[in-house]
Amino acid sequence: MRIMLVEDIRADAILLREALIDEGLGDDLVVASDGAEALAALRGGETLPQLVLLDLNLPRVDGRDVLEGIRADPRLASLPVVVLSTSNSPADVRFAYSHNANAYVRKPNGFEALRGVARAIRDFWVRTATLPSPYAA
């Protein structure tokens, strides 16, 4: 599965990458370190990811703006987006769902907890969900 991880904290990106690899999802992973990089890759890429894991608090272009940009672009509008954030703010959760995020997941502390999130992503997005075209494998 092609996944784009949008995460500005290098240590978090490395840990999440390792967790995804451990769960069989690391073969086709792209990491963007800020929202501007993510939007440029999504808008300019011929091969789109099948899933975006999006942090909300990003430099340059905030994750909220990335989500709005994805949903406003007809080519990307149905791209599955999971917000993965440390924020437990009800306002952030409301924002994500009101802007059509497919899920909001609190980013846990610790590698084993991240592996649990990666496993849940694999079990749902790879084994259970049917992805919209053109994102289907």
Side-chain angles (χ1 to χ4, degrees):
M1 168 175 244
R2 289 182 309 276
I3 297 174
M4 174 181 276
L5 171 62
V6 187
E7 173 60 63
D8 64 314
I9 300 172
R10 184 169 161 71
D12 287 356
I14 290 169
L15 284 175
L16 192 50
R17 175 190 292 264
E18 291 302 314
L20 291 166
I21 288 169
D22 283 359
E23 296 303 324
L25 296 175
D27 293 340
D28 204 358
L29 180 68
V30 174
V31 179
S33 60
D34 63 50
E37 183 182 338
L39 283 174
L42 289 168
R43 290 175 176 154
E46 289 183 26
T47 303
L48 292 171
Q50 295 166 287
L51 178 67
V52 174
L53 303 177
L54 177 65
D55 189 13
L56 285 182
N57 300 311
L58 298 168
R60 296 194 326 155
V61 175
D62 191 289
R64 293 160 191 81
D65 295 326
V66 173
L67 181 56
E68 287 179 331
I70 289 171
R71 293 304 180 233
D73 185 325
R75 182 170 167 253
L76 304 173
S78 62
L79 176 63
V81 176
V82 173
V83 172
L84 188 60
S85 178
T86 57
S87 172
N88 63 355
S89 164
D92 286 341
V93 175
R94 266 192 311 278
F95 178 89
Y97 284 113
S98 70
H99 288 80
N100 299 313
N102 297 87
Y104 189 101
V105 177
R106 290 263 339 267
K107 192 185 319 176
N109 291 323
F111 184 70
E112 285 306 314
L114 279 173
R115 278 191 66 201
V117 169
R119 188 174 311 112
I121 289 168
R122 181 204 62 209
D123 289 348
F124 183 76
W125 291 103
V126 175
R127 296 183 176 169
T128 305
T130 300
L131 298 175
S133 183
Y135 313 109

PDB file of all heavy atoms in Angstrom, residues 8 15 19 22 25 31 33-35 52-53 62 68 75-76 79-81 86-87 91 95-96 102 107-110 127:
ATOM      1  N   ASP A   8       6.316  16.400  10.862  1.00  0.00           N
ATOM      2  CA  ASP A   8       7.462  17.297  10.949  1.00  0.00           C
ATOM      3  C   ASP A   8       8.477  16.916  12.020  1.00  0.00           C
ATOM      4  O   ASP A   8       9.625  17.335  11.960  1.00  0.00           O
ATOM      5  CB  ASP A   8       7.005  18.742  11.177  1.00  0.00           C
ATOM      6  CG  ASP A   8       6.285  18.917  12.499  1.00  0.00           C
ATOM      7  OD1 ASP A   8       5.410  18.085  12.813  1.00  0.00           O
ATOM      8  OD2 ASP A   8       6.581  19.882  13.216  1.00  0.00           O
ATOM      9  N   LEU A  15      10.016   6.627  14.075  1.00  0.00           N
ATOM     10  CA  LEU A  15       9.327   5.584  14.842  1.00  0.00           C
ATOM     11  C   LEU A  15       8.099   5.055  14.112  1.00  0.00           C
ATOM     12  O   LEU A  15       7.854   3.844  14.074  1.00  0.00           O
ATOM     13  CB  LEU A  15       8.927   6.112  16.221  1.00  0.00           C
ATOM     14  CG  LEU A  15      10.046   6.231  17.243  1.00  0.00           C
ATOM     15  CD1 LEU A  15       9.523   6.871  18.526  1.00  0.00           C
ATOM     16  CD2 LEU A  15      10.651   4.867  17.551  1.00  0.00           C
ATOM     17  N   ALA A  19       7.372   1.301  12.765  1.00  0.00           N
ATOM     18  CA  ALA A  19       6.149   0.583  13.137  1.00  0.00           C
ATOM     19  C   ALA A  19       5.403   0.102  11.898  1.00  0.00           C
ATOM     20  O   ALA A  19       4.924  -1.039  11.852  1.00  0.00           O
ATOM     21  CB  ALA A  19       5.256   1.481  13.992  1.00  0.00           C
ATOM     22  N   ASP A  22       7.287  -2.825  10.422  1.00  0.00           N
ATOM     23  CA  ASP A  22       7.043  -4.028  11.218  1.00  0.00           C
ATOM     24  C   ASP A  22       5.698  -4.664  10.906  1.00  0.00           C
ATOM     25  O   ASP A  22       5.531  -5.873  11.041  1.00  0.00           O
ATOM     26  CB  ASP A  22       7.112  -3.711  12.714  1.00  0.00           C
ATOM     27  CG  ASP A  22       8.535  -3.570  13.226  1.00  0.00           C
ATOM     28  OD1 ASP A  22       9.493  -3.731  12.430  1.00  0.00           O
ATOM     29  OD2 ASP A  22       8.692  -3.291  14.430  1.00  0.00           O
ATOM     30  N   LEU A  25       3.853  -2.487   6.112  1.00  0.00           N
ATOM     31  CA  LEU A  25       3.375  -1.338   5.346  1.00  0.00           C
ATOM     32  C   LEU A  25       4.481  -0.352   4.979  1.00  0.00           C
ATOM     33  O   LEU A  25       4.194   0.779   4.611  1.00  0.00           O
ATOM     34  CB  LEU A  25       2.294  -0.583   6.142  1.00  0.00           C
ATOM     35  CG  LEU A  25       1.019  -1.352   6.421  1.00  0.00           C
ATOM     36  CD1 LEU A  25       0.096  -0.533   7.307  1.00  0.00           C
ATOM     37  CD2 LEU A  25       0.323  -1.736   5.128  1.00  0.00           C
ATOM     38  N   VAL A  31       7.563  10.121   3.071  1.00  0.00           N
ATOM     39  CA  VAL A  31       7.450  11.009   4.219  1.00  0.00           C
ATOM     40  C   VAL A  31       7.630  12.445   3.751  1.00  0.00           C
ATOM     41  O   VAL A  31       8.598  12.772   3.067  1.00  0.00           O
ATOM     42  CB  VAL A  31       8.499  10.668   5.302  1.00  0.00           C
ATOM     43  CG1 VAL A  31       8.371  11.623   6.482  1.00  0.00           C
ATOM     44  CG2 VAL A  31       8.339   9.220   5.766  1.00  0.00           C
ATOM     45  N   SER A  33       7.885  16.317   5.338  1.00  0.00           N
ATOM     46  CA  SER A  33       8.197  16.901   6.643  1.00  0.00           C
ATOM     47  C   SER A  33       7.397  18.171   6.948  1.00  0.00           C
ATOM     48  O   SER A  33       7.508  18.705   8.044  1.00  0.00           O
ATOM     49  CB  SER A  33       9.689  17.191   6.750  1.00  0.00           C
ATOM     50  OG  SER A  33      10.082  18.101   5.756  1.00  0.00           O
ATOM     51  N   ASP A  34       6.612  18.634   5.999  1.00  0.00           N
ATOM     52  CA  ASP A  34       5.723  19.769   6.268  1.00  0.00           C
ATOM     53  C   ASP A  34       4.576  19.761   5.263  1.00  0.00           C
ATOM     54  O   ASP A  34       4.577  18.996   4.301  1.00  0.00           O
ATOM     55  CB  ASP A  34       6.472  21.104   6.275  1.00  0.00           C
ATOM     56  CG  ASP A  34       7.097  21.467   4.938  1.00  0.00           C
ATOM     57  OD1 ASP A  34       6.399  21.412   3.898  1.00  0.00           O
ATOM     58  OD2 ASP A  34       8.288  21.811   4.928  1.00  0.00           O
ATOM     59  N   GLY A  35       3.609  20.626   5.515  1.00  0.00           N
ATOM     60  CA  GLY A  35       2.420  20.647   4.671  1.00  0.00           C
ATOM     61  C   GLY A  35       2.672  21.089   3.248  1.00  0.00           C
ATOM     62  O   GLY A  35       2.052  20.581   2.308  1.00  0.00           O
ATOM     63  N   VAL A  52      -3.181   8.836   3.269  1.00  0.00           N
ATOM     64  CA  VAL A  52      -2.354   9.889   3.849  1.00  0.00           C
ATOM     65  C   VAL A  52      -2.536   9.850   5.362  1.00  0.00           C
ATOM     66  O   VAL A  52      -3.671   9.840   5.858  1.00  0.00           O
ATOM     67  CB  VAL A  52      -2.744  11.290   3.312  1.00  0.00           C
ATOM     68  CG1 VAL A  52      -1.970  12.382   4.049  1.00  0.00           C
ATOM     69  CG2 VAL A  52      -2.499  11.370   1.818  1.00  0.00           C
ATOM     70  N   LEU A  53      -1.414   9.806   6.077  1.00  0.00           N
ATOM     71  CA  LEU A  53      -1.397   9.934   7.533  1.00  0.00           C
ATOM     72  C   LEU A  53      -0.909  11.342   7.821  1.00  0.00           C
ATOM     73  O   LEU A  53       0.238  11.675   7.527  1.00  0.00           O
ATOM     74  CB  LEU A  53      -0.469   8.893   8.161  1.00  0.00           C
ATOM     75  CG  LEU A  53      -0.781   7.439   7.819  1.00  0.00           C
ATOM     76  CD1 LEU A  53       0.261   6.517   8.448  1.00  0.00           C
ATOM     77  CD2 LEU A  53      -2.181   7.061   8.272  1.00  0.00           C
ATOM     78  N   ASP A  62       0.073  24.381   7.525  1.00  0.00           N
ATOM     79  CA  ASP A  62      -0.506  23.596   8.613  1.00  0.00           C
ATOM     80  C   ASP A  62      -1.274  22.393   8.073  1.00  0.00           C
ATOM     81  O   ASP A  62      -1.789  22.422   6.947  1.00  0.00           O
ATOM     82  CB  ASP A  62      -1.456  24.529   9.391  1.00  0.00           C
ATOM     83  CG  ASP A  62      -1.912  23.943  10.692  1.00  0.00           C
ATOM     84  OD1 ASP A  62      -2.713  23.000  10.675  1.00  0.00           O
ATOM     85  OD2 ASP A  62      -1.472  24.445  11.730  1.00  0.00           O
ATOM     86  N   GLU A  68      -7.727  20.724   3.947  1.00  0.00           N
ATOM     87  CA  GLU A  68      -8.608  21.545   3.107  1.00  0.00           C
ATOM     88  C   GLU A  68      -8.157  21.504   1.646  1.00  0.00           C
ATOM     89  O   GLU A  68      -8.986  21.433   0.733  1.00  0.00           O
ATOM     90  CB  GLU A  68      -8.640  22.981   3.615  1.00  0.00           C
ATOM     91  CG  GLU A  68      -9.423  23.142   4.893  1.00  0.00           C
ATOM     92  CD  GLU A  68      -9.424  24.571   5.415  1.00  0.00           C
ATOM     93  OE1 GLU A  68      -8.448  25.325   5.167  1.00  0.00           O
ATOM     94  OE2 GLU A  68     -10.413  24.931   6.078  1.00  0.00           O
ATOM     95  N   ARG A  75      -8.947  16.054  -8.052  1.00  0.00           N
ATOM     96  CA  ARG A  75      -8.111  14.854  -8.266  1.00  0.00           C
ATOM     97  C   ARG A  75      -7.823  14.127  -6.949  1.00  0.00           C
ATOM     98  O   ARG A  75      -7.624  12.914  -6.935  1.00  0.00           O
ATOM     99  CB  ARG A  75      -6.798  15.275  -8.926  1.00  0.00           C
ATOM    100  CG  ARG A  75      -5.877  14.141  -9.251  1.00  0.00           C
ATOM    101  CD  ARG A  75      -4.711  14.650 -10.118  1.00  0.00           C
ATOM    102  NE  ARG A  75      -3.682  13.665 -10.189  1.00  0.00           N
ATOM    103  CZ  ARG A  75      -2.505  13.726  -9.571  1.00  0.00           C
ATOM    104  NH1 ARG A  75      -2.205  14.786  -8.851  1.00  0.00           N
ATOM    105  NH2 ARG A  75      -1.625  12.764  -9.679  1.00  0.00           N
ATOM    106  N   LEU A  76      -7.839  14.855  -5.838  1.00  0.00           N
ATOM    107  CA  LEU A  76      -7.467  14.292  -4.545  1.00  0.00           C
ATOM    108  C   LEU A  76      -8.640  14.146  -3.581  1.00  0.00           C
ATOM    109  O   LEU A  76      -8.494  13.554  -2.512  1.00  0.00           O
ATOM    110  CB  LEU A  76      -6.422  15.197  -3.872  1.00  0.00           C
ATOM    111  CG  LEU A  76      -5.148  15.488  -4.650  1.00  0.00           C
ATOM    112  CD1 LEU A  76      -4.312  16.534  -3.930  1.00  0.00           C
ATOM    113  CD2 LEU A  76      -4.357  14.219  -4.892  1.00  0.00           C
ATOM    114  N   LEU A  79      -9.255  10.944  -1.717  1.00  0.00           N
ATOM    115  CA  LEU A  79      -8.076  10.301  -1.136  1.00  0.00           C
ATOM    116  C   LEU A  79      -8.292  10.102   0.365  1.00  0.00           C
ATOM    117  O   LEU A  79      -8.585  11.055   1.082  1.00  0.00           O
ATOM    118  CB  LEU A  79      -6.843  11.183  -1.378  1.00  0.00           C
ATOM    119  CG  LEU A  79      -5.519  10.749  -0.771  1.00  0.00           C
ATOM    120  CD1 LEU A  79      -5.070   9.407  -1.340  1.00  0.00           C
ATOM    121  CD2 LEU A  79      -4.456  11.805  -1.044  1.00  0.00           C
ATOM    122  N   PRO A  80      -8.167   8.877   0.852  1.00  0.00           N
ATOM    123  CA  PRO A  80      -8.344   8.650   2.285  1.00  0.00           C
ATOM    124  C   PRO A  80      -7.270   9.368   3.115  1.00  0.00           C
ATOM    125  O   PRO A  80      -6.076   9.262   2.828  1.00  0.00           O
ATOM    126  CB  PRO A  80      -8.218   7.135   2.434  1.00  0.00           C
ATOM    127  CG  PRO A  80      -8.570   6.597   1.079  1.00  0.00           C
ATOM    128  CD  PRO A  80      -8.030   7.614   0.117  1.00  0.00           C
ATOM    129  N   VAL A  81      -7.721  10.101   4.130  1.00  0.00           N
ATOM    130  CA  VAL A  81      -6.829  10.851   5.011  1.00  0.00           C
ATOM    131  C   VAL A  81      -7.151  10.483   6.457  1.00  0.00           C
ATOM    132  O   VAL A  81      -8.299  10.632   6.894  1.00  0.00           O
ATOM    133  CB  VAL A  81      -6.977  12.375   4.823  1.00  0.00           C
ATOM    134  CG1 VAL A  81      -6.103  13.125   5.823  1.00  0.00           C
ATOM    135  CG2 VAL A  81      -6.646  12.788   3.397  1.00  0.00           C
ATOM    136  N   THR A  86      -1.112  14.344  18.175  1.00  0.00           N
ATOM    137  CA  THR A  86      -1.045  14.244  19.642  1.00  0.00           C
ATOM    138  C   THR A  86      -2.160  15.043  20.301  1.00  0.00           C
ATOM    139  O   THR A  86      -2.434  14.847  21.476  1.00  0.00           O
ATOM    140  CB  THR A  86       0.312  14.760  20.172  1.00  0.00           C
ATOM    141  OG1 THR A  86       0.491  16.100  19.733  1.00  0.00           O
ATOM    142  CG2 THR A  86       1.452  13.881  19.707  1.00  0.00           C
ATOM    143  N   SER A  87      -2.811  15.903  19.549  1.00  0.00           N
ATOM    144  CA  SER A  87      -3.856  16.760  20.109  1.00  0.00           C
ATOM    145  C   SER A  87      -5.086  15.950  20.505  1.00  0.00           C
ATOM    146  O   SER A  87      -5.566  15.120  19.737  1.00  0.00           O
ATOM    147  CB  SER A  87      -4.260  17.822  19.087  1.00  0.00           C
ATOM    148  OG  SER A  87      -5.401  18.534  19.549  1.00  0.00           O
ATOM    149  N   ALA A  91     -11.876  20.595  19.496  1.00  0.00           N
ATOM    150  CA  ALA A  91     -11.936  21.464  18.314  1.00  0.00           C
ATOM    151  C   ALA A  91     -11.142  20.873  17.154  1.00  0.00           C
ATOM    152  O   ALA A  91     -11.574  20.966  16.000  1.00  0.00           O
ATOM    153  CB  ALA A  91     -11.411  22.858  18.655  1.00  0.00           C
ATOM    154  N   PHE A  95     -12.781  19.747  13.698  1.00  0.00           N
ATOM    155  CA  PHE A  95     -12.260  20.284  12.443  1.00  0.00           C
ATOM    156  C   PHE A  95     -11.958  19.157  11.458  1.00  0.00           C
ATOM    157  O   PHE A  95     -12.352  19.226  10.295  1.00  0.00           O
ATOM    158  CB  PHE A  95     -10.976  21.110  12.674  1.00  0.00           C
ATOM    159  CG  PHE A  95     -10.403  21.615  11.380  1.00  0.00           C
ATOM    160  CD1 PHE A  95     -10.813  22.828  10.857  1.00  0.00           C
ATOM    161  CD2 PHE A  95      -9.494  20.849  10.659  1.00  0.00           C
ATOM    162  CE1 PHE A  95     -10.322  23.277   9.634  1.00  0.00           C
ATOM    163  CE2 PHE A  95      -8.993  21.285   9.438  1.00  0.00           C
ATOM    164  CZ  PHE A  95      -9.417  22.499   8.927  1.00  0.00           C
ATOM    165  N   ALA A  96     -11.257  18.141  11.931  1.00  0.00           N
ATOM    166  CA  ALA A  96     -10.868  17.043  11.037  1.00  0.00           C
ATOM    167  C   ALA A  96     -12.101  16.391  10.399  1.00  0.00           C
ATOM    168  O   ALA A  96     -12.160  16.223   9.177  1.00  0.00           O
ATOM    169  CB  ALA A  96     -10.048  16.005  11.803  1.00  0.00           C
ATOM    170  N   ASN A 102     -11.045  10.923   7.100  1.00  0.00           N
ATOM    171  CA  ASN A 102     -11.653   9.602   7.207  1.00  0.00           C
ATOM    172  C   ASN A 102     -11.567   9.044   8.628  1.00  0.00           C
ATOM    173  O   ASN A 102     -12.365   8.181   8.995  1.00  0.00           O
ATOM    174  CB  ASN A 102     -11.008   8.643   6.228  1.00  0.00           C
ATOM    175  CG  ASN A 102     -11.241   9.089   4.803  1.00  0.00           C
ATOM    176  OD1 ASN A 102     -10.471   9.876   4.279  1.00  0.00           O
ATOM    177  ND2 ASN A 102     -12.317   8.636   4.188  1.00  0.00           N
ATOM    178  N   LYS A 107      -2.028  10.158  18.356  1.00  0.00           N
ATOM    179  CA  LYS A 107      -0.698   9.583  18.232  1.00  0.00           C
ATOM    180  C   LYS A 107      -0.242   9.152  19.624  1.00  0.00           C
ATOM    181  O   LYS A 107      -0.098   9.975  20.513  1.00  0.00           O
ATOM    182  CB  LYS A 107       0.259  10.624  17.654  1.00  0.00           C
ATOM    183  CG  LYS A 107       1.579  10.078  17.216  1.00  0.00           C
ATOM    184  CD  LYS A 107       2.549  11.146  16.760  1.00  0.00           C
ATOM    185  CE  LYS A 107       1.943  12.240  15.923  1.00  0.00           C
ATOM    186  NZ  LYS A 107       2.899  13.297  15.583  1.00  0.00           N
ATOM    187  N   PRO A 108      -0.024   7.854  19.816  1.00  0.00           N
ATOM    188  CA  PRO A 108       0.348   7.383  21.151  1.00  0.00           C
ATOM    189  C   PRO A 108       1.837   7.572  21.428  1.00  0.00           C
ATOM    190  O   PRO A 108       2.630   7.796  20.512  1.00  0.00           O
ATOM    191  CB  PRO A 108       0.001   5.894  21.095  1.00  0.00           C
ATOM    192  CG  PRO A 108       0.238   5.530  19.665  1.00  0.00           C
ATOM    193  CD  PRO A 108      -0.187   6.755  18.870  1.00  0.00           C
ATOM    194  N   ASN A 109       2.203   7.436  22.688  1.00  0.00           N
ATOM    195  CA  ASN A 109       3.602   7.476  23.090  1.00  0.00           C
ATOM    196  C   ASN A 109       4.167   6.061  23.102  1.00  0.00           C
ATOM    197  O   ASN A 109       3.490   5.132  23.530  1.00  0.00           O
ATOM    198  CB  ASN A 109       3.753   8.080  24.492  1.00  0.00           C
ATOM    199  CG  ASN A 109       3.438   9.547  24.508  1.00  0.00           C
ATOM    200  OD1 ASN A 109       3.741  10.268  23.572  1.00  0.00           O
ATOM    201  ND2 ASN A 109       2.804  10.004  25.576  1.00  0.00           N
ATOM    202  N   GLY A 110       5.370   5.907  22.618  1.00  0.00           N
ATOM    203  CA  GLY A 110       6.048   4.624  22.697  1.00  0.00           C
ATOM    204  C   GLY A 110       5.907   3.806  21.431  1.00  0.00           C
ATOM    205  O   GLY A 110       4.898   3.860  20.731  1.00  0.00           O
ATOM    206  N   ARG A 127      -6.799  -4.648   4.746  1.00  0.00           N
ATOM    207  CA  ARG A 127      -7.528  -5.919   4.774  1.00  0.00           C
ATOM    208  C   ARG A 127      -9.040  -5.773   4.742  1.00  0.00           C
ATOM    209  O   ARG A 127      -9.724  -6.713   4.373  1.00  0.00           O
ATOM    210  CB  ARG A 127      -7.126  -6.706   6.014  1.00  0.00           C
ATOM    211  CG  ARG A 127      -5.665  -7.103   5.987  1.00  0.00           C
ATOM    212  CD  ARG A 127      -5.290  -7.924   7.169  1.00  0.00           C
ATOM    213  NE  ARG A 127      -3.898  -8.358   7.042  1.00  0.00           N
ATOM    214  CZ  ARG A 127      -3.223  -8.925   8.017  1.00  0.00           C
ATOM    215  NH1 ARG A 127      -3.802  -9.149   9.179  1.00  0.00           N
ATOM    216  NH2 ARG A 127      -1.973  -9.287   7.832  1.00  0.00           N
TER     217      ARG A 127
END
